[in-house]
Amino acid sequence: MDMQHVASKGLVLLGCGKMGSAMLEGWLNDGLPAGSVYVLDPYPSDWLKGTGVHINTDLPTDPAIVLVAVKPQMMGEALPTLVAKGNGEAVFVSVAAGTPIAQFEAVLGGQTPIVRAMPNTPAAIGRGITAIIGNTHVSAAALDLAEALLQAVGQVVRLETEDQIDAVTGVSGSGPAYVFHLIETLAKAGEAQGLSPELSMQLAKATVGGAGALAEAAAEDPAQLRVNVTSPNGTTQAALEVLMDEQSGFPTLLNKAVDAAVKRSKELARG
């Protein structure tokens, strides 16, 4: 089961908002023929209309992949339209947050191959990371295919159990917002020290973006990179003594933040 299989049997994309558009753009750039893609979306964008894909037309009888990218609150309305594709060969891949595999099985049928995926927003620029887990009906080849499709927007990791999705949500799913807030607050701290808002924001964005890129590219782990730039009794050490404080610093704060996100993720999955 490969991309040629998808091209010949067809791919259905349910929902083409930011995430769906980012994935579709990646597939088309990777050579998936526009004529093999069928998009169902009530409000197709001008960009989508210009891609040459099928929009809101009859679907192929037995598509290779049905990728579900609608918002969770629209799931109850959108998913039943695809019941006829359940319990068959079509592999359903969902990037909808908070919708467990059991919910798809309940609507589509218990024999349906289903892959649940948790992407994050840097997927919009091809820098996302997506975690995937399949039910027992997903073959190794189908999971490979789901991974290949999701690699269009970044890295892909495989989970051992669906329960791990909640932890992934707390770390990488919600994580970009933590980093955006770090940029906000770092820029404000620069302003407090007399820098202009524009200059301080430019410094904060470039620092966080550059440090993230260095952390991914470097052979050393982030702890060693931190040590490398921390001169004894220097400026960085003075700041880190505040940030690494066990009571009020990052160790406690981020642990509490991720724990809150994970708990909320579990609550949403229970409905």
Side-chain angles (χ1 to χ4, degrees):
M1 188 180 285
D2 54 18
M3 294 302 275
Q4 189 57 48
H5 176 73
V6 176
S8 61
K9 303 223 25 169
L11 181 153
V12 175
L13 179 58
L14 181 61
C16 199
K18 287 181 181 177
M19 189 65 69
S21 296
M23 289 188 293
L24 177 56
E25 186 173 12
W27 302 332
L28 297 176
N29 288 342
D30 287 344
L32 184 65
S36 298
V37 180
Y38 297 76
V39 176
L40 298 177
D41 192 288
Y43 308 106
S45 66
D46 290 339
W47 173 82
L48 179 61
K49 292 173 185 174
T51 58
V53 303
H54 303 277
I55 303 172
N56 298 328
T57 62
D58 290 340
L59 303 179
T61 308
D62 190 23
I65 294 280
V66 177
L67 203 140
V68 182
V70 293
K71 293 188 183 301
Q73 56 268 34
M74 297 176 67
M75 191 73 73
E77 187 180 321
L79 204 55
T81 63
L82 295 168
V83 168
K85 311 297 178 195
N87 284 340
E89 296 295 316
V91 180
F92 281 73
V93 180
S94 168
V95 296
T99 308
I101 288 172
Q103 193 170 327
F104 286 97
E105 291 174 338
V107 176
L108 299 168
Q111 304 303 306
T112 308
I114 297 160
V115 176
R116 185 177 174 193
M118 168 55 66
N120 63 1
T121 53
I125 58 165
R127 293 292 305 275
I129 187 162
T130 303
I132 61 173
I133 182 75
N135 67 1
T136 55
H137 304 295
V138 176
S139 67
L143 201 61
D144 287 346
L145 179 57
E147 179 172 336
L149 286 166
L150 292 163
Q151 280 174 340
V153 291
Q155 300 177 50
V156 178
V157 295
R158 299 190 185 193
L159 303 181
E160 294 170 10
T161 65
E162 189 180 5
D163 290 346
Q164 293 176 312
I165 284 275
D166 298 310
V168 169
T169 300
V171 176
S172 59
S174 299
Y178 316 159
V179 179
F180 300 149
H181 187 52
L182 172 62
I183 294 171
E184 280 183 283
T185 51
L186 186 55
K188 286 291 183 188
E191 283 184 55
Q193 297 298 328
L195 298 176
S196 73
E198 295 77 18
L199 174 57
S200 199
M201 181 59 76
Q202 185 179 355
L203 290 169
K205 283 181 181 178
T207 300
V208 173
L214 179 58
E216 279 209 313
E220 303 102 321
D221 67 20
Q224 186 58 49
L225 292 175
R226 170 179 52 77
V227 170
N228 292 350
V229 298
T230 307
S231 303
N233 299 316
T235 58
T236 307
Q237 182 178 322
L240 286 174
E241 283 173 2
V242 177
L243 293 175
M244 296 176 73
D245 184 275
E246 286 295 336
Q247 268 66 52
S248 60
F250 279 172
T252 299
L253 194 59
L254 274 177
N255 198 41
K256 283 171 65 177
V258 171
D259 186 58
V262 170
K263 283 177 178 170
R264 185 64 181 136
S265 179
K266 291 176 179 176
E267 288 170 4
L268 290 170
R270 286 195 296 265

